[in-house]
Amino acid sequence: MLPKALDDLIEALGVLPGVGPRSAERYAWALFKRPQVKLNEIAEAISSLHTKVKLCPKTFALISDSEEFSKLYADERRDRKLIMVVEQPFDIIPLEKTSKFNGTYHVLGGAISPIDGIHAGDLKIAELIKRVKEDEVGELILATNANIEGESTALYIQKMMEDAGLGEVKLTRLARGLPTGVDLAYADQITLSHAFDGRKEF
Amino acid sequence: MLPKALDDLIEALGVLPGVGPRSAERYAWALFKRPQVKLNEIAEAISSLHTKVKLCPKTFALISDSEEFSKLYADERRDRKLIMVVEQPFDIIPLEKTSKFNGTYHVLGGAISPIDGIHAGDLKIAELIKRVKEDEVGELILATNANIEGESTALYIQKMMEDAGLGEVKLTRLARGLPTGVDLAYADQITLSHAFDGRKEF
């Protein structure tokens, strides 16, 4: 019923996470209404992604092709003995915005999730252990997501650290509790349990 | 903090409807993980959109560049005296799937929405009036969306038809009521009001 070129585009857009056929159709129609020069810009940005962007060989953060390492690793002011372990490259952005952290990052590239076909071997865990040894890391902040996959991944890393004879390295997790600005009445039970367990003296 | 090429891509993806910075980041990361051949396919599908796809000059449905008119208009078995008026090209797909309709379509290209800067003149209403005259149309099904913008657009078309001396052409709207498979307890008041007003003998 649709022109083939449009079907092809809808199928191509369908590979994006969370984009079903209806969203892909809306995106295709929105693109159709853009001027050609804009379409060329987007097409160029997509096709040149791999030549212009790569992963830092140490931290696996996204860096420019002209860079050797992530600035957040190469900068001497960053403490390499303190590593924040995150799932995805974009997790670094909100963490950096806090300006609270002066260590370095390590991007796992996901979390263990057998249902989605993501196993421990798919993540940059061996590379993390190597960094911990080489840089004599004193603390790993396991900042994986606050869900089952994130927790499993944190537990797995703990076990790997022990197996590698690095059991004395401090492992921490980000605090769990009430997010700022949320009414107690709307908080879910798990969040409230964590907030209760982690309560602090007033 | 991010490589410029990635910032550019995130900005480019941000023009898609309903795609904020966080979604654009997720899309960019998903694209980064695709092989180059896939990226080239998507880029090609986007940049060639305007050369391979165009609007039917009669119905404003999306058609291949090789077609003169939409198949749903050119096909002699379709009744040109009956027109289903829709907002968007993709609205045709679910309607065609019902196999209930053998008339032709007319795509307005949106609905009147001053807040979004969409005025009557931006829609293919003059072209619709022209078709009604040329093809001696007997009925217009105003299948605009069941919301304020869709209703306003239907009312506007009604007025334009009268002004054009076409007041005797039958104008209909799709029925409003309970969608299939929905519990009465979960239906909103407006839907229930419509369902009540439109009740049929059992």
Side-chain angles (χ1 to χ4, degrees):
Chain A
M1 211 179 309
L2 286 173
K4 189 184 169 297
L6 209 60
D7 267 334
D8 291 347
L9 177 59
I10 289 168
E11 197 188 318
L13 293 171
V15 306
L16 298 174
V19 176
R22 294 290 303 156
S23 297
E25 282 172 14
R26 283 173 57 228
Y27 293 170
W29 176 229
L31 286 169
F32 184 78
K33 290 191 284 186
R34 306 288 296 178
Q36 185 60 42
V37 58
K38 270 285 160 199
L39 297 191
N40 290 344
E41 271 177 35
I42 298 175
E44 166 63 17
I46 291 173
S47 61
S48 69
L49 200 50
H50 288 161
T51 48
K52 291 184 177 170
V53 179
K54 63 179 184 184
L55 293 179
C56 166
K58 277 284 179 190
T59 69
F60 303 98
L62 293 162
I63 59 175
S64 297
D65 193 54
S66 57
E67 292 175 300
E68 194 182 356
F69 297 108
S70 163
K71 287 187 198 76
L72 304 177
Y73 178 83
D75 188 335
E76 286 180 2
R77 287 165 298 183
R78 310 289 302 206
D79 180 1
R80 292 190 186 176
K81 296 193 189 307
L82 174 60
I83 298 181
M84 178 94 76
V85 180
V86 296
E87 293 182 17
Q88 308 289 357
F90 290 104
D91 294 339
I92 294 172
I93 300 173
L95 289 166
E96 275 301 291
K97 280 187 182 156
T98 66
S99 306
K100 294 276 269 183
F101 180 66
N102 80 327
T104 60
Y105 292 92
H106 190 88
V107 181
L108 296 171
I112 298 169
S113 176
I115 286 177
D116 302 314
I118 304 173
H119 302 281
D122 300 321
L123 308 178
K124 305 293 183 191
I125 296 175
E127 292 82 350
L128 173 64
I129 305 281
K130 191 159 164 270
R131 275 183 71 188
V132 171
K133 285 181 185 163
E134 282 178 1
D135 289 342
E136 297 174 347
V137 171
E139 180 179 350
L140 283 188
I141 306 173
L142 302 173
T144 50
N145 287 332
N147 54 27
I148 293 173
E149 293 79 15
E151 294 292 343
S152 309
T153 307
L155 284 169
Y156 183 83
I157 291 172
Q158 182 180 41
K159 189 175 175 301
M160 285 298 105
M161 289 286 284
E162 281 166 7
D163 289 358
L166 297 165
E168 81 285 5
V169 174
K170 192 172 168 187
L171 298 183
T172 57
R173 289 280 283 153
L174 295 178
R176 303 281 293 269
L178 292 170
T180 303
V182 161
D183 267 28
L184 204 80
Y186 294 109
D188 65 282
Q189 290 180 11
I190 299 173
T191 298
L192 274 181
S193 298
H194 283 293
F196 177 75
D197 289 341
R199 67 193 181 279
K200 288 188 170 176
E201 208 161 320
F202 191 60
Chain B
M1 212 177 311
L2 286 173
K4 190 185 168 297
L6 209 60
D7 267 335
D8 291 348
L9 177 59
I10 290 167
E11 199 189 316
L13 293 171
V15 305
L16 298 174
V19 176
R22 295 291 303 158
S23 298
E25 282 172 14
R26 283 173 57 227
Y27 294 171
W29 176 230
L31 286 169
F32 183 78
K33 290 191 283 185
R34 306 289 296 178
Q36 185 59 42
V37 57
K38 270 286 160 198
L39 296 191
N40 291 344
E41 270 177 36
I42 298 176
E44 166 63 17
I46 291 173
S47 61
S48 70
L49 199 51
H50 288 159
T51 49
K52 291 184 176 169
V53 179
K54 63 179 184 183
L55 294 178
C56 166
K58 277 285 179 191
T59 69
F60 302 97
L62 293 162
I63 59 175
S64 296
D65 194 55
S66 58
E67 293 176 298
E68 193 180 359
F69 297 109
S70 162
K71 288 188 197 75
L72 304 176
Y73 178 84
D75 188 336
E76 286 180 2
R77 286 164 298 182
R78 310 290 300 207
D79 181 1
R80 293 191 187 177
K81 296 191 188 311
L82 173 60
I83 298 181
M84 178 94 76
V85 180
V86 296
E87 292 183 17
Q88 307 289 357
F90 290 104
D91 294 339
I92 294 173
I93 299 172
L95 289 165
E96 276 299 292
K97 280 188 182 155
T98 67
S99 306
K100 294 275 272 185
F101 181 67
N102 80 328
T104 59
Y105 292 93
H106 191 88
V107 181
L108 296 171
I112 297 169
S113 177
I115 286 177
D116 302 314
I118 304 173
H119 302 281
D122 300 319
L123 307 178
K124 305 295 184 191
I125 297 175
E127 292 82 350
L128 173 64
I129 305 282
K130 190 159 165 270
R131 274 184 72 188
V132 171
K133 285 180 183 164
E134 282 178 3
D135 289 341
E136 298 173 346
V137 171
E139 180 179 351
L140 283 189
I141 306 173
L142 302 173
T144 50
N145 287 332
N147 54 27
I148 293 173
E149 292 78 15
E151 294 292 342
S152 308
T153 307
L155 284 169
Y156 184 83
I157 291 172
Q158 183 182 40
K159 189 174 175 301
M160 285 298 105
M161 290 287 284
E162 281 167 6
D163 289 358
L166 297 165
E168 80 284 4
V169 174
K170 192 172 167 187
L171 297 184
T172 57
R173 288 281 282 153
L174 295 177
R176 302 282 292 270
L178 291 171
T180 303
V182 161
D183 267 28
L184 204 79
Y186 294 110
D188 64 282
Q189 291 181 10
I190 299 173
T191 298
L192 275 181
S193 297
H194 282 294
F196 178 75
D197 289 341
R199 67 194 181 279
K200 288 187 169 178
E201 207 161 320
F202 192 60

